[in-house]
Amino acid sequence: MSNPQQLRYSKEHEWLSALEDGVATVGITEFAANALGDVVFAQLPEVGDTVTAGETCGELESTKSVSDLYSPVTGEVTAANQDVVDDPSLVNSAPFEGGWLFKVRVAEEPDDLLSADEYTAFSGN
Amino acid sequence: MSTAPRLTALDALHRSLGATMTDFAGWDMPLRYASERDEHNAVRTRAGLFDLSHMGEITVTGPQAAAFLSYALVGNIATVGEGRARYTMIVAQDGGILDDLIVYRLADTEFMVVANAGNAQLVLDTLTARVGGFDAEVRDDRDAYALLAVQGPDSPAVLKSVTDADLDGLKYYAGLPGTVAGVPALIARTGYTGEDGFELFVAPEHAEQLWKALTEAGAPYDLIPCGLSCRDTLRLEAGMPLYGHELTTALTPFDAGLGRVVKFEKEGDFVGREALSAAAERAEAAPPRKLVGLIAEGRRVPRAGYPVVAGGKVVGEVTSGAPSPTLGKPIAMAYVDAAHAAPGTEGVGVDIRGTHEPYEVVALPFYKRRK
């Protein structure tokens, strides 16, 4: 398992892409996807929602459990990944790519986001 | 008090296969190896291999072993033929279910009682307490056995390639001693998946050799190792109760819809008879909540403890729920008031974290294999 270098990470196991015109893409890490098991239902924030760093903004449901989805940053949601809503297993099969969850226009970032190496050390993976 | 989890004889093997391990009734058990959905589908369509060494084996021997078990359990164990097995229960004096069990009659005066891991000590203690006055002996054999299961439509073919035992002559719910892959085993045609399959009780020191031989024999059939996660979805689809979910000390077998396992006609008294007679009459006069199946119309998964609702009122409770790989929808077992328990009842939902999601009421099981 390798965590892409160009991403940043939260301690809640989300990843955050670099900003493009102020907008970042958010997903959960491969480590988190593996820990969840087969994801079968995803409730994502909706376009226009305001999400807050460290607060819940959705749900990921796997065979065994329900997990809250946290936002790694504060801002306004500009897109939710309909492909994941239609086929939640994308979160398992391509967590850093097709399994992204939502895009957010970042208003504020917490100062404790981790680099890939820091996250690898933090998660042990 | 915290104690280290117990490890099965196959622990190192599971870790080498990359299993995700989980604590289960004090045992460190494989939850899944890769995708639990793939494991589930392997058992439904081909074959899967399980380590079930956490189950509790208790041997009962002696001239009055049969009479003793008929007294201590709700079933009529005296009528179980040699080489056959029976599903039964052990209840408290008040009729509450202590555990559900499979009892194998290995010989005229020798039985093996298989208890759930979480209840094994209680079952052992209870049997030991009840054996007084009978010419019989209760022996803790939990450490004497590892238990492997091959389940799925291809399991007879897989097993045949590594044993000379007469599998065609081995009926469902029967067991015979034999040799599998050079290892002495009690071969039982039982399981908990809704599929044809076999459970193999062997000495722990033989478990790894047997696992490897079965893996090799199963390769042409795409047999894969399977964990407890898919075992739960398999048994749920098959409508089989799980202790702690559908069965508890608060319920009698009649409340659980399993009154048929209670044999009032058997010779002699048995523990719980009086309470169970009353429970049977109560169930007749005023039907208790009924165990039904629920199929989701949406994609949100009901979990144990979630309320079943109808017309804005709570009419039941989910006991087990999961996404069903075979049906492609979330399913649940639930105890529901008789008024809402008929298959097709309109307007039934499950309160999923505050939202009432619509569900279809169906008869159990959700899945039945073709014979």
Side-chain angles (χ1 to χ4, degrees):
Chain A
M1 201 180 312
S2 74
N3 298 302
Q5 285 294 332
Q6 72 275 20
L7 304 177
R8 286 177 300 155
Y9 299 86
S10 76
K11 289 182 177 172
E12 305 289 355
H13 307 286
E14 288 93 27
W15 56 261
L16 181 78
S17 74
L19 298 186
E20 268 180 57
D21 295 334
V23 174
T25 305
V26 175
I28 64 164
T29 65
E30 186 173 2
F31 172 78
N34 283 346
L36 282 176
D38 293 333
V39 176
V40 295
F41 174 79
Q43 187 187 49
L44 304 179
E46 290 176 16
V47 173
D49 284 358
T50 299
V51 292
T52 306
E55 292 193 3
T56 66
C57 62
E59 272 176 18
L60 291 177
E61 182 132 31
S62 66
T63 309
K64 275 289 154 203
S65 64
V66 192
S67 299
D68 284 325
L69 172 64
Y70 297 89
S71 179
V73 291
T74 299
E76 185 188 330
V77 174
T78 61
N81 189 353
Q82 187 61 36
D83 291 348
V84 162
V85 173
D86 295 340
D87 177 11
S89 72
L90 276 174
V91 174
N92 297 104
S93 59
F96 293 116
E97 289 148 6
W100 64 274
L101 299 177
F102 61 92
K103 293 178 191 283
V104 56
R105 183 172 301 284
V106 179
E108 199 181 334
E109 279 184 14
D111 49 18
D112 60 350
L113 291 175
L114 307 175
S115 69
D117 291 343
E118 286 167 339
Y119 177 72
T120 300
F122 169 75
S123 66
N125 276 280
Chain B
M1 190 179 79
S2 88
T3 49
R6 300 185 65 181
L7 307 181
T8 80
L10 296 165
D11 188 74
L13 195 56
H14 297 318
R15 288 169 202 279
S16 74
L17 291 168
T20 299
M21 306 296 285
T22 187
D23 174 76
F24 190 91
W27 290 80
D28 211 12
M29 298 299 293
L31 183 65
R32 54 188 153 85
Y33 296 83
S35 157
E36 58 240 355
R37 204 169 352 191
D38 292 347
E39 293 169 18
H40 181 109
N41 291 333
V43 174
R44 282 278 177 265
T45 59
R46 306 186 310 272
L49 179 59
F50 294 84
D51 178 10
L52 305 176
S53 299
H54 59 308
M55 302 293 286
E57 297 85 4
I58 299 161
T59 301
V60 178
T61 55
Q64 288 189 297
F68 159 61
L69 287 172
S70 288
Y71 164 77
L73 311 178
V74 300
N76 193 355
I77 307 304
T79 63
V80 178
E82 271 182 55
R84 300 306 301 264
R86 186 155 303 167
Y87 177 77
T88 187
M89 292 184 185
I90 184 167
V91 300
Q93 205 63 250
D94 69 359
I97 302 166
L98 297 176
D99 200 11
D100 62 338
L101 309 164
I102 292 181
V103 177
Y104 296 87
R105 189 168 204 163
L106 304 180
D108 184 39
T109 58
E110 182 177 358
F111 295 82
M112 183 170 70
V113 176
V114 181
N116 285 297
N119 293 329
Q121 187 65 48
L122 174 67
V123 173
L124 178 68
D125 292 345
T126 306
L127 288 178
T128 303
R130 291 178 185 176
V131 76
F134 288 91
D135 189 357
E137 190 198 334
V138 175
R139 186 173 76 224
D140 178 4
D141 264 346
R142 283 176 291 182
D143 293 336
Y145 293 105
L147 175 56
L148 278 64
V150 192
Q151 299 279 302
D154 287 336
S155 56
V158 172
L159 200 55
K160 260 180 209 171
S161 66
V162 288
T163 185
D164 293 334
D166 174 21
L167 298 184
D168 293 330
L170 187 65
K171 293 180 185 155
Y172 190 54
Y173 263 75
L176 58 80
T179 301
V180 182
V183 166
L186 171 68
I187 307 167
R189 199 161 202 157
T190 46
Y192 192 51
T193 61
E195 298 299 332
D196 193 5
F198 301 88
E199 296 186 309
L200 307 168
F201 296 87
V202 299
E205 62 264 33
H206 292 146
E208 198 166 311
Q209 183 187 336
L210 180 58
W211 178 280
K212 287 177 174 166
L214 290 168
T215 300
E216 202 169 306
Y221 301 92
D222 293 330
L223 168 145
I224 58 172
C226 295
L228 294 183
S229 181
C230 81
R231 185 172 159 85
D232 191 47
T233 47
L234 288 160
R235 70 93 195 167
L236 176 56
E237 287 183 350
M240 295 175 173
L242 172 63
Y243 197 87
H245 288 250
E246 286 72 37
L247 310 176
T248 70
T249 50
L251 300 173
T252 70
F254 294 94
D255 301 310
L258 290 165
R260 63 178 183 278
V261 305
V262 180
K263 304 298 182 191
F264 291 114
E265 71 277 12
K266 65 184 169 183
E267 227 175 276
D269 196 17
F270 63 96
V271 178
R273 178 193 281 274
E274 207 173 313
L276 290 174
S277 296
E281 279 174 36
R282 265 199 320 272
E284 188 75 26
R289 281 188 168 180
K290 201 171 171 222
L291 189 64
V292 300
L294 299 174
I295 300 179
E297 291 173 21
R299 293 167 75 163
R300 303 184 90 189
V301 184
R303 306 285 175 184
Y306 285 12
V308 178
V309 292
K313 285 188 182 149
V314 173
V315 299
E317 185 176 310
V318 171
T319 50
S320 297
S324 160
T326 304
L327 276 69
K329 292 175 178 176
I331 58 172
M333 286 202 264
Y335 282 110
V336 174
D337 290 343
H340 300 277
T345 303
E346 301 271 323
V348 172
V350 175
D351 184 336
I352 297 191
R353 300 181 294 283
T355 311
H356 289 190
E357 297 279 332
Y359 275 75
E360 183 190 354
V361 180
V362 300
L364 293 168
F366 298 98
Y367 167 85
K368 208 167 186 176
R369 76 181 142 112
R370 282 174 294 185
K371 306 223 172 164

